[in-house]
Amino acid sequence: DGSDVDVSGTSVVSENQALWGGLGVGGSLTWSDERYAAHGEAFARTSLKDFGDSSAIGAKVGFSVKW
């Protein structure tokens, strides 16, 4: 259910949180009659139990072609 370690006198704790909330934004761009598309998404999330104490950020990008 998690781990606890002491690094140079500082306690570092890792445990899974059951409830998270987040916000994301994304978009896409197409061209050549929608044959090509680039898309992306950025997101941030945090634990709702210890709000702001546990968080994650990330991004995804992609490209697609229709044959």
Side-chain angles (χ1 to χ4, degrees):
D1 293 312
S3 60
D4 185 0
V5 66
D6 184 67
V7 179
S8 299
T10 302
S11 179
V12 179
V13 178
S14 174
E15 63 181 282
N16 292 328
Q17 298 290 324
L19 186 59
W20 287 73
L23 180 65
V25 63
S28 63
L29 176 66
T30 62
W31 63 95
S32 294
D33 293 327
E34 297 186 358
R35 183 173 182 184
Y36 304 102
H39 42 90
E41 175 188 14
F43 60 89
R45 61 185 179 144
T46 185
S47 166
L48 297 179
K49 180 180 176 185
D50 297 317
F51 189 79
D53 191 32
S54 301
S55 59
I57 59 171
K60 296 178 183 179
V61 294
F63 180 77
S64 61
V65 178
K66 290 183 183 177
W67 298 101

